[in-house]
């Protein structure tokens, strides 16, 4: 399975917010830090807010933050809410599907992968917070987001 860019960006946003849990972060800051489209991140952030992963604060001093602690958000939960299809192959049109064991093997593999994702929380992904912050800040061309 290959995760979509949408899920990738969703996880990056959550990681960024977890790294900077002491303050509000902006979409622009995150877009610059990861060199991704501001417009695309707006869609991702809106969906993350709608799903209850983040909260947004409007206004001049606004931004966003995690709606729950990072150790309460599993990678599996994020993947389930951001990915649409979990079929590894489309067996519906195959003449062999009624007698083939591939469908079951693929389903079992997907369940195993999701079981692994469910064991990891966003907080588990912050293996070296200070190094991660330095790396993000180095990528910010205008120094935005530096702590």
């Amino acid at each position: 399975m290959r995760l979509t860019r949408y899920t990738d960006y969703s996880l990056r946003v959550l990681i960024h917010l977890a790294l900077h849990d002491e303050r509000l972060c902006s979409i622009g800051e995150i877009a610059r830090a990861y060199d991704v489209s501001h417009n695309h991140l707006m869609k991702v952030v809106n969906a993350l807010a709608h799903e209850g992963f983040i909260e947004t604060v409007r206004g001049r001093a606004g931004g966003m933050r995690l709606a729950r602690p990072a150790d309460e958000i599993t990678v599996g939960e994020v993947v389930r809410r951001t990915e649409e299809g979990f079929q590894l192959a489309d067996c519906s049109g195959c003449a062999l599907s009624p007698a083939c064991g591939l469908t079951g093997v693929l389903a079992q593999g997907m369940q195993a992968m999701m079981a692994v994702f469910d064991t990891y929380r966003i907080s588990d992904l912050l293996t070296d917070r200070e190094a991660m912050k330095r790396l993000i800040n180095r990528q910010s061309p205008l120094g935005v987001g530096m702590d």
Side-chain angles (χ1 to χ4, degrees), residues 5-85:
R5 185 172 288 149
Y6 188 83
T7 298
D8 176 23
Y9 289 175
S10 295
L11 290 166
R12 289 187 205 202
V13 167
L14 296 174
I15 289 168
H16 192 91
L17 296 177
L19 277 173
H20 298 89
D21 58 354
E22 74 285 355
R23 64 177 174 82
L24 295 174
C25 299
S26 71
I27 294 173
E29 167 192 336
I30 297 170
R32 285 186 296 274
Y34 294 108
D35 193 27
V36 298
S37 162
H38 185 277
N39 290 337
H40 196 66
L41 273 188
M42 283 180 58
K43 294 174 191 172
V44 168
V45 165
N46 283 333
L48 290 172
H50 178 74
E51 293 289 340
F53 291 114
I54 65 172
E55 3 180 86
T56 58
V57 177
R58 293 189 181 270
R60 182 174 171 91
M64 66 189 124
R65 62 181 161 239
L66 293 177
R68 300 180 280 169
D71 62 354
E72 293 180 12
I73 303 170
T74 68
V75 174
E77 179 183 10
V78 176
V79 170
R80 281 185 187 85
R81 294 207 185 154
T82 57
E83 289 293 323
E84 287 187 4

